[in-house]
């Protein structure tokens, strides 16, 4: 089946960015802190993908059942030609730049990090949740951010970046293809 070749690996699982597949496949064996850490890395990878454009790296419009970006251009392109397929959850035309979506080249996409993510113990959710925020076009540490736009604001729910943005954001034109994400207090 064509859908398998484009969207799913030989194990029948969605082809995702590596940290997203790590979280999906190993979350039950990770302690809560490690789940948040891997989720932050996953959101950073999906965020970076959402900034991409062109036929070779078309961005992130189409998602698997967990809401993660399909990692490969072949999957994103296949879904764009098969909108409505049950495997192709559509974030919307404004989630990607042209030709995958309708955002002009260099424009801001509407990709968003996840909120109310469940913590797992084995295969069972614990009832505890966390949310994520990201800073597009930025690289951040626990104390500061460097961004293309010194007035950059975080996207997503929460107040993960309050400490960093309470100080002056350093302008750095080389951060255009980067994202920093924080989930439940764990910074990527």
């Amino acid at each position: 089946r064509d859908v398998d070749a484009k969207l799913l690996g030989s194990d029948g699982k969605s082809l995702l960015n590596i940290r997203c597949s790590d979280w999906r496949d190993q979350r039950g064996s990770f302690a809560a802190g490690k789940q948040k850490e891997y989720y932050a890395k996953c959101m950073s990878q999906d965020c970076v993908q959402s900034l991409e454009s062109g036929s070779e790296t078309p961005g992130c419009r189409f998602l698997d059942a967990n809401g993660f970006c399909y990692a490969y251009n072949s999957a994103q392109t296949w879904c764009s030609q098969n909108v409505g397929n049950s495997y192709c959850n559509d974030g919307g035309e404004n989630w990607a730049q042209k030709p995958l979506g309708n955002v002009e080249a260099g424009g801001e996409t509407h990709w968003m990090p996840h909120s109310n993510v469940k913590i797992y113990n084995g295969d069972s959710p614990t009832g505890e949740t966390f949310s994520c925020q990201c800073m597009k076009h930025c690289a951040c540490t626990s104390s500061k951010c460097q961004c293309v736009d010194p007035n950059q604001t975080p996207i997503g729910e929460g107040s993960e970046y309050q400490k960093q943005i309470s100080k002056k954001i350093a302008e750095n034109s080389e951060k255009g293809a980067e994202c920093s994400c924080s989930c439940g207090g764990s910074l990527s």
Side-chain angles (χ1 to χ4, degrees), residues 21 56 122 162 174 183:
S21 62
E56 293 300 311
Q162 285 311 110
E174 296 179 7
C183 297

Side-chain angles (χ1 to χ4, degrees), residues 41-163:
K41 291 176 180 180
C42 165
M43 289 292 97
S44 290
Q45 288 181 320
D46 278 5
C47 180
V48 165
Q49 185 177 336
S50 81
L51 302 175
E52 297 173 345
S53 65
S55 58
E56 293 300 311
T57 55
C60 173
R61 174 177 170 180
F62 297 98
L63 316 164
D64 80 338
N66 292 307
F68 299 131
C69 301
Y70 284 112
Y72 297 104
N73 64 339
S74 57
Q76 293 289 334
T77 302
W78 188 88
C79 283
S80 73
Q81 296 163 353
N82 294 276
V83 174
N85 182 284
S86 63
Y87 284 96
C88 301
N89 297 291
D90 191 352
E93 290 183 357
N94 63 2
W95 271 45
Q97 295 180 38
K98 293 180 177 181
L100 192 60
N102 65 7
V103 177
E104 293 298 327
E108 271 310 310
T109 64
H110 288 212
W111 174 91
M112 291 292 285
H114 297 172
S115 59
N116 298 312
V117 180
K118 295 176 178 153
I119 297 285
Y120 283 81
N121 182 4
D123 292 332
S124 303
T126 64
E128 182 186 348
T129 62
F130 61 90
S131 292
C132 302
Q133 278 194 318
C134 295
M135 296 281 284
K136 289 183 175 182
H137 312 289
C138 297
C140 300
T141 66
S142 61
S143 61
K144 65 181 179 186
C145 290
Q146 294 183 23
C147 303
V148 171
D149 178 358
N151 298 309
Q152 184 69 38
T153 56
I155 59 168
E157 292 182 15
S159 57
E160 300 278 328
Y161 286 94
Q162 285 311 110
K163 185 166 66 171

Side-chain angles (χ1 to χ4, degrees), residues 14-34:
S14 304
L15 296 170
L16 307 172
N17 288 310
I18 188 66
R19 295 301 172 227
C20 299
S21 62
D22 287 346
W23 182 87
R24 177 197 62 204
D25 297 342
Q26 300 174 50
R27 66 184 177 213
S29 65
F30 288 166
K34 192 167 184 179

